[in-house]
Amino acid sequence: MKVVIKSLATANPPKKVTQEHVYHVLSSKFEFKGEERRLYEKILLEGPIRTRHFGLDYDEQILLQDQDNLIERFLKYGRLTAAKAVRKALMRAKLNSKDDGCMIVNTCTGYLCPGLSSYLVEDLSLDSSIKVVDIGGMGCGAAIPNLECASKMVPSDNRVVLSIAVEICSATIVMGPEPDLIVSNCIFGDGASAAVVARSNENDAERIVTLLDFESLVLPKEREMLRYRSVQGRLRNTLAKKVPIIAARSIKEVITRLLERNRLSRDQIAFWAVHPGGSLVLERIHKELELPVRALDFSYQILHDYGNMSSPSVMFVLERILQKAKPKRKQKCLLLSFGAGFTAFAGLVEF
């Protein structure tokens, strides 16, 4: 039985801001000195990211940093953005909410009990018999294992699985002089992706994505390099300088195993959908994998237009490939991401 992505859609909160605007707002509200100011200027005013989306009602809301306010904002914009992506995906697949048999939602930027799945069942008017799974704590890499779970949960009837990745990273902003906090505040944005996963049938659209195989890697010894820590009840991102090196080596290991198992060489991969974790990360991965010059162009485009949206980012890259590259049938693509833990994930797909 082949399992396919029948449609894919992405969405963002309505507030879109330039990096220059972010710098103006932050520098007008917080007193930056010395190296702290220079780092903000370097990343926001000179870096590769141009715009980001934030789940904010107004600019000054970023100053309200108590945990209750952050969770309230995460819930409001998490459900709004995820629901928007799902509606677009269902429309593209020419389906409605009654066609959904399962829903898997991953997020790491806010804790809810019940999870976002409960709210999305309500917002999307899904049947109460739908099977739901909430995945938490996997960080930027979670969309790929979400897809793998979805491929295993496809119902035996004609219903589909909704694979949803949603992050409101702006609800985890912590102001402070530490370099990793500054980098986090400068690169992360908000977004969601929704993939409609189903059994393949003769009526599928001309351009679909077949899910072929998955691979993963978990490195607990590198846990402190990339993670959220709880500090006074709030999520505080930890982003070590070694992350690009660890990410590149981890990605190399998972794709080596995946390609060997499927008797494929790197030359047989037509497209590379790599999580745009940052320009240094992409540069290191490009070098480690010895990829063609423009292999990561689509990842750089998403980084430029949206920043790092954590888990849905790799799905934004895949959507951009589908829309702009218009891949031919049987061409293969690797989905690659990494996240807290330290973890790395790969998904082999065919157009």
Side-chain angles (χ1 to χ4, degrees):
M1 178 195 74
K2 288 187 177 181
V3 176
V4 301
I5 297 177
K6 290 180 69 71
S7 68
L8 172 64
T10 61
N12 302 91
K15 190 173 187 61
K16 180 181 180 180
V17 297
T18 65
Q19 291 287 74
E20 290 81 1
H21 182 74
V22 174
Y23 179 78
H24 171 75
V25 171
L26 293 181
S27 61
S28 67
K29 303 299 181 182
F30 299 95
E31 186 178 359
F32 299 144
K33 295 181 179 179
E35 188 57 33
E36 184 180 7
R37 176 175 291 277
R38 283 190 288 273
L39 190 51
Y40 269 112
E41 290 176 349
K42 179 181 179 180
I43 301 174
L44 290 175
L45 303 182
E46 303 170 18
I49 300 171
R50 290 293 174 262
T51 53
R52 289 184 285 167
H53 289 257
F54 292 140
L56 292 171
D57 298 325
Y58 53 92
D59 288 343
E60 288 72 23
Q61 194 176 22
I62 204 72
L63 303 176
L64 304 177
Q65 296 201 342
D66 66 278
Q67 186 63 7
D68 289 345
N69 177 269
L70 295 174
I71 290 296
E72 181 181 343
R73 187 154 60 82
F74 166 79
L75 174 58
K76 175 181 178 178
Y77 284 101
R79 66 193 292 188
L80 182 153
T81 310
K84 182 179 178 181
V86 170
R87 291 189 184 102
K88 287 167 61 177
L90 289 174
M91 181 183 67
R92 290 175 181 177
K94 298 179 180 180
L95 299 173
N96 59 55
S97 59
K98 300 305 179 183
D99 296 311
D100 303 327
C102 306
M103 177 171 60
I104 305 172
V105 185
N106 74 262
T107 189
C108 70
T109 45
Y111 176 74
L112 299 171
C113 185
L116 275 173
S117 64
S118 172
Y119 299 92
L120 292 175
V121 167
E122 178 184 7
D123 295 343
L124 297 166
S125 300
L126 301 178
D127 193 276
S128 61
S129 66
I130 189 172
K131 295 180 181 179
V132 297
V133 177
D134 285 276
I135 300 174
M138 297 192 74
C140 297
I144 295 178
N146 184 327
L147 272 180
E148 184 174 10
C149 289
S151 71
K152 302 295 193 298
M153 290 185 66
V154 175
S156 57
D157 54 26
N158 291 324
R159 293 177 299 165
V160 301
V161 181
L162 295 174
S163 175
I164 304 165
V166 54
E167 305 291 1
I168 306 300
C169 299
S170 64
T172 67
I173 285 180
V174 175
M175 300 305 299
E178 295 90 339
D180 61 338
L181 288 181
I182 296 172
V183 172
S184 297
N185 294 343
C186 291
I187 69 172
F188 283 99
D190 302 345
S193 65
V196 175
V197 179
R199 290 171 177 261
S200 179
N201 62 65
E202 294 179 358
N203 298 319
D204 281 326
E206 217 174 282
R207 186 153 45 247
I208 56 177
V209 178
T210 302
L211 302 175
L212 298 179
D213 200 2
F214 295 90
E215 188 57 78
S216 62
L217 175 70
V218 183
L219 300 172
K221 291 183 179 179
E222 305 290 0
R223 185 184 299 127
E224 298 305 317
M225 298 297 103
L226 182 63
R227 63 170 297 182
Y228 274 128
R229 290 190 289 113
S230 179
V231 179
Q232 296 180 340
R234 294 185 52 195
L235 293 177
R236 191 265 195 221
N237 197 31
T238 297
L239 190 62
K241 289 183 178 180
K242 289 176 58 179
V243 164
I245 298 173
I246 301 170
R249 291 175 179 171
S250 301
I251 290 297
K252 185 176 182 179
E253 183 172 341
V254 293
I255 69 168
T256 297
R257 293 205 300 260
L258 186 60
L259 293 179
E260 286 180 353
R261 184 165 65 244
N262 288 275
R263 298 180 180 179
L264 294 170
S265 67
R266 293 184 200 174
D267 293 340
Q268 292 174 280
I269 303 301
F271 298 98
W272 298 78
V274 179
H275 166 58
S279 57
L280 294 179
V281 169
L282 291 176
E283 289 170 12
R284 192 78 190 197
I285 290 174
H286 188 277
K287 181 179 180 180
E288 187 77 24
L289 301 184
E290 299 178 332
L291 296 175
V293 175
R294 305 195 64 179
L296 301 186
D297 276 8
F298 293 108
S299 293
Y300 277 108
Q301 289 175 19
I302 296 303
L303 182 66
H304 181 280
D305 295 343
Y306 298 97
N308 179 351
M309 296 167 287
S310 189
S311 63
S313 299
V314 68
M315 304 304 288
F316 273 72
V317 179
L318 178 59
E319 183 187 45
R320 183 68 62 92
I321 290 172
L322 289 167
Q323 291 175 344
K324 300 297 183 181
K326 301 188 185 304
K328 299 175 182 177
R329 277 193 176 276
K330 300 298 182 180
Q331 284 188 313
K332 291 179 174 58
C333 174
L334 274 177
L335 310 181
L336 301 170
S337 65
F338 57 91
F342 199 97
T343 53
F345 303 98
L348 177 64
V349 305
E350 184 177 81
F351 297 111

